[in-house]
Amino acid sequence: MLRAALWVLPVVGPAIGPVHAADSAAVSCDDLTFDGNRYTVCEVDATRAQLKLFLRDDNGQVYGHFSSIEAALEPEGKELVFATNAGMYHANRDPVGLYIEDGKQEMRLIPNAGPGNFGLLPNGVFCLRQGRADVFETLAFRDAGTTCTSATQSGPMLVIDGELHPRFLPNSTSAYIRNGVGTSADGSRVVFAISRNAVTFHQFGSLFRDHLKLPSALYFDGNISRLHAPQIGRSDAGFMMGPVVGVVE
């Protein structure tokens, strides 16, 4: 039912070692190593940056690529200064779970278990509101009746109230390129991470909990994961994506 994961090699600029983005004070990207694994991490100040979700253009066609979003923004004098894939989708790029963009809901919340990583409960919702962004566990989100300006559902959760997902095994051998997002308790600090080598769920969740010190984090996807971070000379190309989250200036 879900699209198959596809291996996509990142297109990386010439920078070597840690790099810091200076182009936007509200967005910074760095390469780092934690527990022997390499990651690129982009931190967004949600009180200052305009985080947005993207799926379809004005004609209803799926953007699919960072370049398509950039082309749509250019006539408005806007720039995509950061972006990454944001949640799982079917073969036709329709979202698997809850998807809301600028107040318009395209897909409903899916609270029950199911196949694949999305259905490995607990999963979660990445919720955008004015001046903040939050990761919520799905049932907690549903029961609280939280209203989001934009939202995307994915899974599994990586970190839940400061604890790793209960199904993650320290000795797992299932390693892939992975990306996800974590948020601070006040919703101001939003950290996106993509691994630069194959990692397990336990290793990836530990990055958010132990190194980034974030109480909540959500998995976005595996080998299909891609990053657009022109500040560090990186904009990954590949097969069409579904939902994308980005910062517009």
Side-chain angles (χ1 to χ4, degrees):
M1 184 177 185
L2 306 186
R3 89 288 174 276
L6 298 170
W7 184 267
V8 179
L9 292 176
V11 177
V12 185
I16 298 175
V19 248
H20 183 74
D23 292 28
S24 171
V27 182
S28 62
C29 294
D30 293 274
D31 290 336
L32 61 85
T33 299
F34 172 69
D35 198 22
N37 294 302
R38 297 175 296 118
Y39 302 92
T40 298
V41 173
C42 291
E43 185 160 337
V44 177
D45 180 350
T47 67
R48 303 170 63 196
Q50 184 184 3
L51 274 164
K52 289 178 60 65
L53 287 176
F54 300 90
L55 180 58
R56 306 182 194 278
D57 62 21
D58 292 341
N59 297 317
Q61 299 300 308
V62 173
Y63 285 112
H65 303 282
F66 299 134
S67 57
S68 299
I69 299 172
E70 288 182 297
L73 292 171
E74 186 175 3
E76 303 175 18
K78 297 178 180 178
E79 180 183 0
L80 188 68
V81 298
F82 158 80
T84 189
N85 55 293
M88 297 177 183
Y89 48 90
H90 297 287
N92 64 356
R93 276 63 187 179
D94 286 350
V96 173
L98 178 69
Y99 187 80
I100 302 169
E101 185 177 323
D102 295 332
K104 182 179 179 181
Q105 181 173 312
E106 175 165 334
M107 179 60 189
R108 65 182 178 86
L109 189 75
I110 304 295
N112 50 289
N117 291 325
F118 181 92
L120 183 62
L121 301 186
N123 58 21
V125 174
F126 180 53
C127 171
L128 302 181
R129 291 176 285 179
Q130 181 65 39
R132 69 180 298 156
D134 299 273
V135 168
F136 296 104
E137 186 273 324
T138 293
L139 297 185
F141 174 81
R142 179 196 65 184
D143 295 345
T146 303
T147 300
C148 309
T149 303
S150 295
T152 182
Q153 186 181 5
S154 192
M157 288 285 288
L158 297 169
V159 183
I160 311 154
D161 296 329
E163 300 293 334
L164 294 184
H165 191 291
R167 298 280 296 276
F168 293 174
L169 302 176
N171 60 349
S172 172
T173 58
S174 179
Y176 294 92
I177 298 294
R178 303 184 189 275
N179 83 309
V181 62
T183 55
S184 60
D186 65 359
S188 65
R189 183 177 173 224
V190 189
V191 185
F192 300 87
I194 183 169
S195 66
R196 294 172 62 85
N197 59 268
V199 295
T200 66
F201 272 133
H202 192 276
Q203 291 168 329
F204 196 44
S206 297
L207 170 76
F208 285 95
R209 182 191 66 175
D210 301 335
H211 184 74
L212 299 174
K213 307 296 184 183
L214 294 168
S216 300
L218 178 65
Y219 180 62
F220 274 156
D221 217 328
N223 287 335
I224 199 71
S225 300
R226 298 206 290 282
L227 175 68
H228 174 77
Q231 314 96 307
I232 57 172
R234 178 170 176 175
S235 187
D236 302 343
F239 295 95
M240 287 185 68
M241 297 174 285
V244 169
V245 60
V247 172
V248 175
E249 289 187 350

